[in-house]
């Protein structure tokens, strides 16, 4: 039987193949509207937050991550179509505008104060790097400057003692992705 994705080398870590395969089967059932009774609900946000275990010789992380992004896009598109039929496009876009305003308000804070900081002894995201990326996002929301959704999904910040709290930054980045998917 052929593998769904290319594999990492035998001595390198990749995603656990059984977890990826099980998730893809569940996603297919959810997308087709035929989930099993014990399947947990699945939507674009849950897809974005899904994490797989690692194993030597597992599936290539780059290939699986790319497929997960396409799957998230497909679910988001389906969610928008359903919401549009039930509530109309304006309701869907209104929710996206509200989320965008919340994000824009957060990003409008002064540099170095946009997010909570961890203690000086703990590691968080590099403040300067996050603020630089936040400025790009501000231009996207305020001025319509182009930024790709993959740039938001794939941004990586180095660690810094006393840096920004990672979970808070990640939540805002997830909200940005939600807005970008909503207005596609």
């Amino acid at each position: 039987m052929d593998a769904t994705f290319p594999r990492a080398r035998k001595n390198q870590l990749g995603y656990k193949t059984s977890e990826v395969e099980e998730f893809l089967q569940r996603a297919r059932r959810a997308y087709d509207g035929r989930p099993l009774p014990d399947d947990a609900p699945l939507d674009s946000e849950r897809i974005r937050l899904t994490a797989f275990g690692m194993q030597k010789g597992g599936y290539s992380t780059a290939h699986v991550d790319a497929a997960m992004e396409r799957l998230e896009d497909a679910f988001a598109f389906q969610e928008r179509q359903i919401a549009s039929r039930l509530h109309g496009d304006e309701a869907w876009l209104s929710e996206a505008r509200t989320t965008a305003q919340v994000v824009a308000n957060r990003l409008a804070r002064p540099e170095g104060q946009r997010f909570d900081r961890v203690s000086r002894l703990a590691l968080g995201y590099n403040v300067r790097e996050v603020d630089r990326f936040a400025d790009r996002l501000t231009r996207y929301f305020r001025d319509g400057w182009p930024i790709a959704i993959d740039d938001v999904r794939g941004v990586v910040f180095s660690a810094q003692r006393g840096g920004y709290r990672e979970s808070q930054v990640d939540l805002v980045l997830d909200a940005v992705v939600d807005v970008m998917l909503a207005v596609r």
Side-chain angles (χ1 to χ4, degrees):
M1 180 174 167
D2 290 334
T4 305
F5 298 100
R7 290 182 176 259
R9 293 184 181 164
K10 289 183 182 184
N11 62 343
Q12 291 181 332
L13 290 176
Y15 290 134
K16 282 190 174 180
T17 56
S18 60
E19 288 180 15
V20 172
E21 293 294 339
E22 182 180 308
F23 178 82
L24 291 177
Q25 289 174 6
R26 189 175 120 219
R28 185 172 292 118
R29 291 189 302 265
Y31 189 82
D32 291 342
R34 296 182 302 204
L36 297 178
D38 60 337
D39 282 349
L42 192 59
D43 59 16
S44 60
E45 181 181 12
R46 289 179 196 258
I47 292 168
R48 183 178 332 116
L49 299 175
T50 296
F52 300 111
M54 304 295 279
Q55 73 180 57
K56 287 190 177 186
Y59 283 146
S60 161
T61 57
H63 288 89
V64 173
D65 289 345
M68 292 293 284
E69 289 171 3
R70 291 189 303 273
L71 189 60
E72 179 187 1
D73 289 346
F75 269 73
F77 181 75
Q78 185 181 56
E79 290 160 15
R80 180 177 180 169
Q81 287 183 317
I82 291 168
S84 179
R85 279 195 303 267
L86 293 175
H87 309 290
D89 281 337
E90 188 53 39
W92 177 264
L93 292 174
S94 176
E95 184 177 332
R97 277 192 295 273
T98 300
T99 303
Q101 188 60 56
V102 170
V103 170
N105 292 345
R106 166 69 65 173
L107 300 178
R109 293 179 180 182
E111 287 186 13
Q113 299 175 27
R114 289 182 171 136
F115 300 94
D116 291 340
R117 305 283 279 267
V118 295
S119 78
R120 292 186 180 271
L121 300 176
L123 290 175
Y125 285 145
N126 182 286
V127 172
R128 216 172 303 135
E129 292 175 8
V130 172
D131 282 343
R132 213 173 304 129
F133 194 73
D135 289 341
R136 286 183 64 197
L137 293 174
T138 298
R139 289 191 298 273
Y140 167 78
F141 284 110
R142 185 187 62 214
D143 305 327
W145 280 36
I147 187 168
I149 195 169
D150 289 338
D151 292 341
V152 179
R153 285 176 171 153
V155 68
V156 176
F157 305 112
S158 57
Q160 168 190 341
R161 292 205 184 279
Y164 281 141
R165 185 172 309 284
E166 293 177 8
S167 59
Q168 197 176 46
V169 174
D170 291 345
L171 281 172
V172 169
L173 293 176
D174 284 345
V176 170
V177 170
D178 285 340
V179 170
M180 294 175 95
L181 288 171
V183 299
R184 268 189 166 179

